[in-house]
Amino acid sequence: MTQKIMDKRHNTIVNEIVDSIRQVIIRNKVTNTELWLAIDFLNETGRSEHEMALLLQAFFESTTCVARNNESRGSAVAIEGPYFLEGAPEIAHGGEIKTLAEEDGEPIIIRGKVTDVDGKPIENVTLDVWHSTPVGTYSGVMPGIPEDHYRGKLTTDADGLYEVRTTKPVPYQIPHDGNTGKILEGLGRHAWRPAHIHFKARGEGLLEHITQVYFEGEEYVDSDCCTGVCDELVLGFTNENGVKVITKNFVLDAAA
Ligand SMILES: [Fe+2]
């Protein structure tokens, strides 16, 4: 029975993809020669390790978030990207994410409240936080940065609150020396993502919630190469004793 439902959904999606591409071909009078150029391009993309995943993530991961946000009563989700790692170090309320002293990042505080869709605080939500170094790289993925840096696992308290100290991330470019970069360049677009902090919230009876926050007025917020920014996720800093504070609250949907 489950297989039949899956087959039905699979068939609906595949048929709609095929139909959409056929309509594009008809509307734009795409020639057989142009079709073969596309086939060669996709074959070449598939031969390059990670390039197909990069291409599809860059262009479509944010669309899966739009689909979910359209149906959700919770706060907005955003793309996960490729740099999440399980096993980040646990950090107590108000504690500090490990950062490299020699990279001299700007200190920031991240805090907020986690509630359900009725506004009730949720205790014991596990909140993974990860972000770039002050030079736009990721620990554990790129060489030279210990895996337990620039990542932390927090737990909400009885009031649904969390707080952590870290350093401010910066914009970075996605890999753009392959076919994904060629397409972006052809479209007149760049390969930069605005500075952002990643979050993944998980808890008993809750729908997993993956999102990001971006910083008001900063570079590339209006032109993210992965089109992952939505207004709700662009937040301004406040100032507390000379330290920038970002307040990110979460409203989490119950698991279906
Ligand atoms: Fe990122």
Side-chain angles (χ1 to χ4, degrees), residues 180-206:
T180 306
K182 278 185 199 164
I183 290 195
L184 287 171
E185 193 183 347
L187 293 171
R189 288 169 54 186
H190 59 69
W192 287 91
R193 299 221 63 226
H196 56 271
I197 303 164
H198 294 266
F199 298 89
K200 182 181 288 206
R202 290 176 283 191
E204 204 180 326
L206 299 170

Side-chain angles (χ1 to χ4, degrees), residues 27-44:
R27 269 201 311 277
N28 295 281
K29 303 178 178 62
V30 173
T31 65
N32 197 45
T33 306
E34 288 170 326
L35 176 64
W36 273 102
L37 283 174
I39 291 167
D40 289 342
F41 184 87
L42 290 173
N43 274 338
E44 185 187 295

Side-chain angles (χ1 to χ4, degrees), residues 79-83 130-132 138 172 193-194 196-198 212:
I79 61 178
E80 176 168 344
Y83 302 135
W130 72 104
H131 60 82
S132 84
Y138 275 84
Y172 60 83
R193 299 221 63 226
H196 56 271
I197 303 164
H198 294 266
Q212 303 188 8

Side-chain angles (χ1 to χ4, degrees), residues 7 34 41 67 76 82-83 85 107 137 143 153 162 166 203 213 217 235 242 251:
D7 287 348
E34 288 170 326
F41 184 87
Y83 302 135
L85 296 175
T137 55
K153 196 182 283 291
Y162 74 92
T166 187
V213 299
L235 303 177
V251 178

